[in-house]
Amino acid sequence: MRIGRLSLLLGLLILVASVAMAQVRVDPGIPSYRQVQGVSGNLKSIGSDTMNNLMALWAEGFTKMYPNVKIEIEGKGSSTAPPALIAGTAQFGPMSRPMKSAEIDNFQKKYGYPPVGLRTAIDMLAVFVHKDNPIAKRGLTLQEVDAIFSVNRRGGHPKDIRTWGDLGLTGEWANKPIDLYGRNAASGTYGYFKEHALFNGDYKPTVKEQPGTSSVVQGVASDRFAIGYGGIGYLTADVLAVPLAAAPGKPYVPADPSHAYTGDYPLARFLYNYVNYKPGSQLDPLRREFIRYMFSREGQSDVVKDGYFPVTAAIAQQELAKVGIR
Amino acid sequence: MDHQQVQVKRRTRKTRPSVILLDHVSRGIITIGGIGIILAVSLVFVFLASVVAPLFQQGSATFHHSVTLFPGAKSEKSERWSFIEVDSFHALGIHGLLNERYVQSFFFPTGQPLDEYLLFEQIPRTFTYNRETGTVLAGFEDGSTQAGRIIFNSRYLNLSDLEEGGKKLPDKGIFLWEGKAALKTQEGQLRVQEVSIEMEKPIKGYFREPVVLIDRVDRPSGPIVAGYYANEVLFLRSVTKKTNLLTGEETLEVEEKDIKVPVDSGKGIPHHFFLLGSGDMAFLLWKDGNFLRLDLNLPVATGMQGGEVAPASPAHLEEAKILEKGNLFSLLPASKKDQHQAQITSAVILLGRGTIVTGDTVGRVCSWHLGRTGETLTLINSHLFQHHSEVTSIVPSTRKRLLAIGYKDGSSRVVYLTSERVLAEVKVFPNEPIERVLLAPKDDGLGGWGENGTFAFYTLKEGQPEFSLKALFTPILYEGNAEKEHVWQSSSGTDSFEPKFGLIPLIFGTLKATFYSLLFGVPIALLAAIYTSEFLHPDLRARIKPLIEMMASLPSVVLGFLAALVIAPYVENRVPTIILSLYCVPFTFFLSGYVVQLFPKRWFVLSSRFQFYILLAISLPTGIVLSIAGGPLLERVLFYGDLKSWLDGQKGQGSPGWFLLLLPIAVLAGGLVIHRVTQIPWIRTWIESLEKRKLSPAAVDSLKMVASGLFSVVVAIGVSLTLDRIGVDPRNSFPLVGRLLGTYVQRNSLVVGFLMGFAIIPIIYTIADDALKSVPNSLRAGALSLGATPWQTTVRVVIPTAMSGLFSAVMIGFGRAVGETMIVLMATGNTPIMEWNPFNGFRTLSANIAVELPEAVVGSTHYRILFLAALTLFIITFLVNTIAEIQRMRFRTRSYQL
């Protein structure tokens, strides 16, 4: 009887857990993290705001296992990571975009070898609107997003989009100007959005620059006629992520877990973590274990907790090999 | 004169030595302190200037070495096919003679050939090499194409693994190691440079015609290849790659299309061909400058996996749509057009694929991009570099909008497009034309390859190419624009971005922020200081002054936070009420003064003790209630029912806006006018006769106020209607100040001005209050005893005396407002726009530095330009304070005698 009750409880737990995790699952091929001895010291991470919470979750999980480790996290924008790595003020440089050649050059000038970028998570860069906005039911093409946010419209949309009426909305939305929220130039999200959604065009000068994605979401949540962009991990109940289509005529793909890995969502990207790794050398235990933690089951579950998508086991193994682990 | 000697006890009249010593010591300390302050401020200036000074450095090219490559091969070369490239470390080079299908790698410092690599099975008819991605693409006589990649790789070996720990190898410089170019790194490793070449399989085209031109664009989703057959048919092949990350499965969508190019007969084959943007437009260019821009409507996906679509037969080909047709030379500015037509000798496309650069026989290097005028895109000439010799070769940089140009007279130049600066100029060969110029990948080397096979290499220091005073302070024609503009958009996540360092929007934003904060803060602070020091009961004053000074202790971060999260959303829903309250509340205060005057004497005397409380408890709430009630009414009557859409320019005339803007000025004018009018003798006697007829002076005074009020309203309405009739609308863009009123944005300067006022009011108040208190009481007593009212005493005696202090109070407030960073950073959207509109935001120099400095690489041009912005702020504040101090001294000498 006791065993029966226990197994019922266990079954219920598994059901609940699986329902909760049914949407996003960590690849079963990724191993669990195994603790080692002799890990202590200080780690500092300077870089992406998009990955700020993620780094905090990893730091929390890591310090729980190794209480002698102190981790400091600063997330002012991806562009702050290369100068910090070059100067040696940070051991990790999370970036939501890959490094530019000029940044790699500067690093190489100092150390003689290029920095190593590890792909730690997958993000779907979302376009946020207020929860009352009817455009979220239909979706936007990348060309329309381009016309909303940029001055050059290099994506090819014929006209400038200034009001919600220009997108076909009617009623009280018809003549309201679109209020634009975005990130500042230090952000990797800014650079990625400019490259892929604005087709390398320029932002309108009226895009309000916010220091972090949470301020973008907060701005959109408090302003009915606003639109903004940021990592999907910052989605709250007050805003909606708009489905995006890669081109007119292609289907609108919503930013939900079922489309994260198929390659259909046009603004899916990797979230990188850059480290200073001398080719052929061995990493010090502190950084080695942190990287191992990032690519372990616990680390990738933290990714899911933050609202992003975990990498596959194949990618995890590739990345670990990049820094000479296992 | 009393000659009596008075005997008194002798007292020492000497000062004690300790006192003298203390005197000297304290004087010394204070002097050191004072000089120290001056030194510290100058040091700040010197530091800023030292970081900014390298911006003005010129670039330079210094001779490095000269070798011979390909002796005697002159007859085989054709400039479109030969190419020469070097790796990032100037160790390994490759050059190719593609009519021999090979590339040859060589040891760069000596020219010694190393390895040979076969690229193509047949001799290519046409060939392109993309320096950014390393992709080579060739078109052949039988209509097929082949792509591949040539990249330089670095292999790292630990010195400890080599024989004798690598001690035999030279520590500096590049050397040959086991037949490969190698060099040592700072970290004790050996870096070996290698070339890796991957060629794809040739792809057959539909037509068996030679492919005479070819180009390729690598989009994030996959490549597009376009080729031009000899029978004037363009083929397109677009590959979209989607990777399913979970399964690792790759789906390839291949779309192929053949289109007929509507070329005028007799023109022949074009000489240059480029795919623009993301491959949606094709650009064909002939030597005489004629060009054709075609729309390559990419076909709808067929969803096949790697196969080929059934191709159409030549009879059924659709014609490509011509977007633009013309001659490049006719687009040049009038002064640069030639009588006898020049010929285009070389054309390249810059990184980002938005700009084309052409060089011609008269030595002009011109850049062209597509600019939008209205709804259409047209080709525009953006920059022009003139030289006296024919252009033979142009190579664009892969990092920035920099060009290396080779000329027929053997000279070579390195130029940067946006700032139109010539960074370096060298005479490579004294009397031999440069066949091909070389630019090292990191833009740190310049080389020239002459006709005879001599190759000379120079190390290039580009200095700070993006900087020039013209680029920072004048409007520039940026890529993608049709007109010159002031833009600040300094960086991005990609290399192909054109940094835009226009400082004018930032300076404009700083002035706008200062203006609105002073507009709100100065009148309130000064009037508050005058009221509390002259009219308020001393007990109350002792309690209010500390309260106001406590306002200064509010951290500006908190103020910015409040502005952005609490006040901005609140104001957004109540804009007409807030605007009305700006007029209503001062008006009710005014009105209550006149009303109290009309009271019977006894009430008046009793109430004079409670002046302050009456104002606070009756006038202020009345004003607020009036504006709450009147707000919707104002919106309905003046703004056609919707203020925000009026501001957006969607409906109505400009007169309501003019009325509100001009009303304060009109009120001042009205007061002055009525004052003058009542001085006119016959009116004065009439008024006095009224007073005799039992009309109290208070009533007359109120009548005067009513008259001036009516007058000002009428004048304001009249002027706004007249401006309307002329067609001047405050929502239109004026030359220097942009729009006076415009679209409403939640984070606007009204809200920010209100809160920056919070920050500067306590400062101005304190200093003004002290200045007013320092006026000797004897002056006040004298004026009052001569029969002046407290108001007359204040305005005509106290304020002129305290003018220097009041002025310096305002100047210190100004200094604080100019430098305020946190409130602006958090409460505006940091939008670099140039509009005086109070309903949208701005970007100040200080907030810009705060936002961008953490991401600027130390020592880069961006970093130094931010320091230049800091220096500009420093100079502005310094100048304003100096002028203010001079003025203050002048005011002081006037009141010094008192």
Side-chain angles (χ1 to χ4, degrees):
Chain A
M1 200 52 208
R2 204 128 171 265
I3 299 173
R5 223 183 306 147
L6 248 165
S7 55
L8 184 66
L9 204 64
L10 216 64
L12 254 157
L13 265 170
I14 295 177
L15 189 67
V16 167
S18 64
V19 163
M21 303 278 278
Q23 292 287 62
V24 193
R25 273 187 317 127
V26 181
D27 191 335
I30 293 185
S32 212
Y33 181 73
R34 251 177 309 157
Q35 226 167 318
V36 296
Q37 299 284 37
V39 176
S40 66
N42 290 336
L43 272 182
K44 190 153 165 128
S45 142
I46 295 179
S48 166
D49 164 80
T50 306
M51 293 175 70
N52 217 6
N53 290 341
L54 189 51
M55 286 298 295
L57 284 170
W58 280 333
E60 205 186 310
F62 195 69
T63 48
K64 233 182 263 179
M65 282 187 288
Y66 304 107
N68 286 331
V69 176
K70 282 206 202 11
I71 307 187
E72 265 178 66
I73 300 170
E74 210 179 282
K76 289 213 196 81
S78 302
S79 303
T80 58
L85 280 176
I86 294 171
T89 47
Q91 284 76 38
F92 286 102
M95 289 178 75
S96 58
R97 60 160 174 87
M99 264 201 206
K100 290 189 273 192
S101 342
E103 294 168 334
I104 298 180
D105 270 351
N106 282 323
F107 186 93
Q108 202 154 23
K109 208 187 299 187
K110 176 136 191 240
Y111 292 101
Y113 50 83
V116 175
L118 303 167
R119 294 173 292 173
T120 54
I122 294 168
D123 174 27
M124 296 169 88
L125 187 59
V127 174
F128 297 116
V129 293
H130 193 264
K131 62 177 187 295
D132 297 336
N133 197 324
I135 201 84
K137 291 198 206 91
R138 186 193 84 186
L140 288 171
T141 64
L142 275 190
Q143 279 70 18
E144 285 173 335
V145 172
D146 179 30
I148 294 173
F149 278 96
S150 84
V151 271
N152 329 69
R153 301 202 300 281
R154 286 172 96 161
H157 194 87
K159 284 176 70 107
D160 183 29
I161 296 182
R162 208 181 60 91
T163 62
W164 289 106
D166 292 335
L167 282 169
L169 293 186
T170 55
E172 63 151 343
W173 298 83
N175 65 342
K176 299 289 188 299
I178 303 182
D179 229 353
L180 302 166
Y181 285 83
R183 298 287 310 280
N184 57 30
S187 159
T189 310
Y190 170 101
Y192 180 88
F193 196 74
K194 183 190 265 247
E195 189 184 348
H196 289 93
L198 303 193
F199 302 94
N200 277 315
D202 285 337
Y203 285 97
K204 285 185 180 154
T206 46
V207 177
K208 283 178 272 301
E209 292 191 358
Q210 305 296 100
T213 311
S214 51
S215 338
V216 173
V217 170
Q218 198 275 329
V220 172
S222 68
D223 190 347
R224 273 191 102 202
F225 307 108
I227 192 170
Y229 61 87
I232 191 78
Y234 283 89
L235 186 71
T236 64
D238 302 315
V239 295
L240 293 173
V242 178
L244 294 178
K250 297 244 167 96
Y252 294 108
V253 180
D256 59 21
S258 54
H259 294 99
Y261 298 95
T262 55
D264 287 323
Y265 189 76
L267 296 180
R269 58 176 179 166
F270 281 110
L271 296 175
Y272 297 86
N273 203 343
Y274 276 85
V275 283
N276 180 346
Y277 169 68
K278 188 160 147 184
S281 71
Q282 290 281 64
L283 276 175
D284 52 288
L286 182 56
R287 283 192 298 163
R288 186 189 69 223
E289 290 310 310
F290 192 84
I291 295 176
R292 246 213 211 115
Y293 179 77
M294 284 198 301
F295 289 107
S296 69
R297 171 173 301 277
E298 288 78 9
Q300 293 298 311
S301 314
D302 286 336
V303 171
V304 175
K305 215 189 290 182
D306 196 28
Y308 297 114
F309 305 98
V311 290
T312 56
I315 294 178
Q317 271 194 344
Q318 278 174 19
E319 302 304 304
L320 287 173
K322 271 191 201 169
V323 282
I325 299 180
R326 208 179 294 150
Chain B
M1 271 223 253
D2 201 74
H3 292 288
Q4 256 185 331
Q5 288 279 27
V6 181
Q7 291 288 350
V8 290
K9 207 165 164 196
R10 278 256 134 177
R11 281 174 67 202
T12 50
R13 294 201 198 121
K14 276 183 20 191
T15 347
R16 279 206 302 271
S18 58
V19 174
I20 298 178
L21 183 66
L22 212 61
D23 201 39
H24 282 295
V25 167
S26 41
R27 191 186 305 169
I29 293 179
I30 292 174
T31 315
I32 291 177
I35 295 181
I37 292 179
I38 298 175
L39 261 178
V41 173
S42 341
L43 269 175
V44 169
F45 179 80
V46 164
F47 173 70
L48 286 177
S50 73
V51 176
V52 168
L55 280 176
F56 297 90
Q57 234 173 33
Q58 290 294 333
S60 65
T62 22
F63 181 75
H64 194 257
H65 68 268
S66 169
V67 293
T68 315
L69 302 170
F70 274 18
K74 182 166 143 193
S75 54
E76 299 284 357
K77 276 201 245 132
S78 163
E79 58 191 56
R80 265 176 54 210
W81 298 343
S82 66
F83 77 112
I84 181 166
E85 290 298 332
V86 71
D87 70 340
S88 328
F89 301 98
H90 310 165
L92 185 64
I94 50 169
H95 57 64
L97 290 186
L98 279 109
N99 51 3
E100 289 187 358
R101 305 174 292 143
Y102 291 92
V103 286
Q104 169 89 52
S105 70
F106 64 97
F107 184 59
F108 196 70
T110 61
Q112 177 190 340
L114 293 175
D115 295 302
E116 230 176 51
Y117 304 89
L118 178 66
L119 287 184
F120 306 111
E121 298 297 323
Q122 4 166 358
I123 295 176
R125 171 71 189 264
T126 179
F127 163 81
T128 64
Y129 174 66
N130 183 334
R131 293 184 68 222
E132 247 182 298
T133 53
T135 36
V136 288
L137 191 57
F140 304 104
E141 291 286 339
D142 64 356
S144 57
T145 60
Q146 192 178 10
R149 266 188 97 194
I150 302 178
I151 40 180
F152 292 104
N153 274 331
S154 299
R155 230 191 336 138
Y156 294 93
L157 299 169
N158 278 323
L159 284 176
S160 44
D161 297 335
L162 304 170
E163 54 174 64
E164 295 180 27
K167 285 217 184 35
K168 271 218 207 131
L169 302 168
D171 277 332
K172 271 189 183 299
I174 312 159
F175 46 88
L176 271 176
W177 176 79
E178 291 187 8
K180 298 205 189 298
L183 57 153
K184 284 194 184 171
T185 71
Q186 301 102 303
E187 301 281 312
Q189 289 184 313
L190 187 70
R191 185 191 290 121
V192 181
Q193 295 292 97
E194 293 168 329
V195 179
S196 91
I197 298 194
E198 305 151 10
M199 299 303 297
E200 295 171 22
K201 280 213 289 280
I203 300 170
K204 282 212 208 327
Y206 177 69
F207 295 102
R208 295 268 162 253
E209 299 277 336
V211 177
V212 290
L213 293 165
I214 196 163
D215 199 10
R216 169 175 158 145
V217 174
D218 286 291
R219 303 164 302 175
S221 53
I224 297 180
V225 175
Y228 192 91
Y229 288 116
N231 64 349
E232 294 170 0
V233 170
L234 204 62
F235 76 80
L236 290 171
R237 189 164 195 276
S238 150
V239 178
T240 318
K241 197 162 76 158
K242 273 201 297 218
T243 326
N244 187 322
L245 292 168
L246 275 178
T247 59
E249 188 188 311
E250 276 185 8
T251 22
L252 288 172
E253 263 176 32
V254 180
E255 303 158 11
E256 291 191 345
K257 189 167 158 172
D258 288 312
I259 39 183
K260 185 140 181 64
V261 177
V263 175
D264 299 337
S265 59
K267 267 233 204 104
I269 299 168
H271 298 96
H272 301 280
F273 173 68
F274 300 110
L275 281 174
L276 297 176
S278 23
D280 47 345
M281 281 188 275
F283 187 81
L284 302 163
L285 183 62
W286 281 261
K287 260 204 171 72
D288 56 3
N290 286 325
F291 70 89
L292 208 60
R293 189 161 61 87
L294 301 172
D295 188 10
L296 303 174
N297 257 321
L298 290 176
V300 181
T302 51
M304 295 210 158
Q305 290 215 191
E308 282 177 37
V309 192
S313 67
H316 300 302
L317 287 178
E318 49 179 286
E319 261 202 11
K321 182 168 138 201
I322 300 183
L323 290 172
E324 201 183 345
K325 189 170 154 176
N327 190 305
L328 284 183
F329 295 119
S330 65
L331 293 176
L332 286 173
S335 52
K336 303 285 179 183
K337 290 195 210 184
D338 248 4
Q339 265 78 14
H340 34 273
Q341 282 293 14
Q343 296 256 308
I344 292 185
T345 51
S346 61
V348 293
I349 191 163
L350 288 187
L351 82 169
R353 295 200 158 247
T355 307
I356 293 176
V357 179
T358 57
D360 58 27
T361 44
V362 257
R364 283 185 296 225
V365 170
C366 312
S367 67
W368 312 87
H369 68 243
L370 291 173
R372 200 172 283 274
T373 36
E375 297 295 339
T376 47
L377 282 175
T378 46
L379 207 63
I380 296 175
N381 170 238
S382 44
H383 305 284
L384 200 151
F385 293 92
Q386 185 74 56
H387 196 66
H388 49 261
S389 164
E390 180 181 316
V391 176
T392 52
S393 160
I394 306 178
V395 172
S397 160
T398 53
R399 295 294 161 79
K400 46 173 91 78
R401 301 168 67 83
L402 186 119
L403 299 171
I405 312 168
Y407 294 96
K408 197 160 182 187
D409 66 351
S411 62
S412 167
R413 265 179 167 186
V414 176
V415 300
Y416 185 75
L417 275 185
T418 316
S419 59
E420 292 190 357
R421 276 181 64 188
V422 176
L423 299 170
E425 190 163 351
V426 280
K427 192 101 170 122
V428 181
F429 303 117
N431 42 22
E432 205 189 316
I434 294 185
E435 270 287 329
R436 173 114 185 164
V437 77
L438 168 113
L439 190 62
K442 289 199 236 179
D443 300 335
D444 54 359
L446 175 70
W449 199 7
E451 273 185 340
N452 299 323
T454 331
F455 176 76
F457 187 67
Y458 294 74
T459 43
L460 181 67
K461 273 209 197 36
E462 42 180 8
Q464 314 282 351
E466 297 94 341
F467 172 80
S468 76
L469 283 175
K470 207 165 65 145
L472 256 57
F473 293 105
T474 62
I476 303 273
L477 188 58
Y478 295 108
E479 188 187 72
N481 294 346
E483 278 170 7
K484 294 192 175 184
E485 275 175 19
H486 293 288
V487 180
W488 174 273
Q489 208 165 101
S490 53
S491 64
S492 166
T494 54
D495 292 316
S496 62
F497 175 71
E498 179 179 21
K500 302 172 177 64
F501 292 119
L503 276 185
I504 302 287
L506 301 179
I507 298 178
F508 188 93
T510 312
L511 289 174
K512 185 175 175 186
T514 318
F515 175 77
Y516 281 108
S517 53
L518 287 181
L519 188 69
F520 183 77
V522 165
I524 293 185
L526 283 182
L527 292 174
I530 295 171
Y531 181 73
T532 53
S533 90
E534 301 302 314
F535 298 100
L536 200 56
H537 196 271
D539 288 344
L540 264 178
R541 184 197 313 162
R543 260 177 251 149
I544 287 188
K545 189 160 172 183
L547 264 176
I548 299 186
E549 285 172 359
M550 259 214 291
M551 267 170 74
S553 67
L554 285 170
S556 44
V557 175
V558 173
L559 289 174
F561 185 75
L562 273 176
L565 294 178
V566 174
I567 298 188
Y570 182 84
V571 167
E572 189 181 21
N573 295 329
R574 295 170 183 75
V575 184
T577 311
I578 305 274
I579 294 182
L580 192 59
S581 68
L582 288 174
Y583 296 92
C584 251
V585 171
F587 176 68
T588 47
F589 274 57
F590 229 47
L591 200 62
S592 46
Y594 284 97
V595 164
V596 167
Q597 255 189 258
L598 288 168
F599 281 174
K601 243 185 246 174
R602 197 157 161 261
W603 286 20
F604 180 79
V605 170
L606 277 175
S607 69
S608 63
R609 270 194 69 196
F610 304 101
Q611 264 181 16
F612 181 71
Y613 298 106
I614 291 175
L615 282 174
L616 193 63
I618 299 180
S619 320
L620 188 61
T622 317
I624 295 179
V625 164
L626 265 177
S627 20
I628 293 180
L633 192 65
L634 177 83
E635 195 175 13
R636 214 163 351 120
V637 165
L638 278 184
F639 294 107
Y640 312 89
D642 190 354
L643 176 62
K644 299 220 183 101
S645 57
W646 181 87
L647 282 173
D648 200 30
Q650 283 168 14
K651 46 170 110 159
Q653 307 271 36
S655 40
W658 283 125
F659 176 68
L660 284 179
L661 282 175
L662 295 170
L663 198 56
I665 308 172
V667 163
L668 280 172
L672 266 169
V673 164
I674 295 291
H675 184 75
R676 286 291 143 156
V677 160
T678 53
Q679 307 285 23
I680 297 178
W682 61 270
I683 295 193
R684 206 190 216 169
T685 21
W686 179 67
I687 292 177
E688 281 171 8
S689 70
L690 278 177
E691 284 181 8
K692 286 212 184 85
R693 280 194 246 140
K694 292 268 200 79
L695 215 62
S696 62
V700 172
D701 216 19
S702 315
L703 278 174
K704 263 200 254 179
M705 184 204 76
V706 169
S708 78
L710 279 171
F711 180 80
S712 27
V713 168
V714 164
V715 162
I717 293 179
V719 175
S720 27
L721 285 175
T722 325
L723 283 168
D724 230 12
R725 197 57 71 84
I726 308 178
V728 178
D729 192 325
R731 296 166 297 174
N732 291 341
S733 200
F734 293 92
L736 268 177
V737 293
R739 292 195 297 180
L740 286 177
L741 291 175
T743 317
Y744 185 86
V745 169
Q746 198 198 57
R747 307 258 172 103
N748 56 45
S749 3
L750 220 55
V751 171
V752 174
F754 175 69
L755 276 138
M756 270 174 68
F758 248 76
I760 64 176
I761 283 174
I763 300 173
I764 301 180
Y765 173 84
T766 313
I767 299 178
D769 192 67
D770 287 342
L772 288 164
K773 251 201 280 210
S774 72
V775 172
N777 256 336
S778 51
L779 284 176
R780 285 198 194 87
L784 287 168
S785 65
L786 286 172
T789 63
W791 173 251
Q792 288 172 322
T793 318
T794 310
V795 171
R796 298 191 201 200
V797 177
V798 177
I799 289 185
T801 316
M803 190 56 97
S804 66
L806 295 178
F807 190 70
S808 69
V810 173
M811 280 302 127
I812 293 186
F814 178 93
R816 172 74 200 267
V818 163
E820 184 57 54
T821 309
M822 251 1 251
I823 298 179
V824 173
L825 191 63
M826 302 194 71
T828 63
N830 288 315
T831 47
I833 47 185
M834 288 178 62
E835 271 182 22
W836 208 251
N837 182 4
F839 297 114
N840 61 18
F842 46 81
R843 188 179 183 115
T844 60
L845 284 168
S846 47
N848 185 60
I849 296 172
V851 166
E852 298 198 356
L853 203 58
E855 61 140 342
V857 178
V858 175
S860 65
T861 312
H862 185 200
Y863 178 84
R864 294 186 199 278
I865 290 181
L866 289 175
F867 268 78
L868 182 66
L871 190 63
T872 316
L873 259 180
F874 185 86
I875 292 177
I876 292 177
T877 322
F878 190 73
L879 276 174
V880 167
N881 277 342
T882 311
I883 294 174
E885 193 59 28
I886 296 173
Q887 266 307 93
R888 197 172 78 83
M889 284 293 136
R890 259 202 251 149
F891 283 133
R892 258 186 88 161
T893 49
R894 254 196 262 160
S895 57
Y896 193 66
Q897 293 86 6
L898 300 163

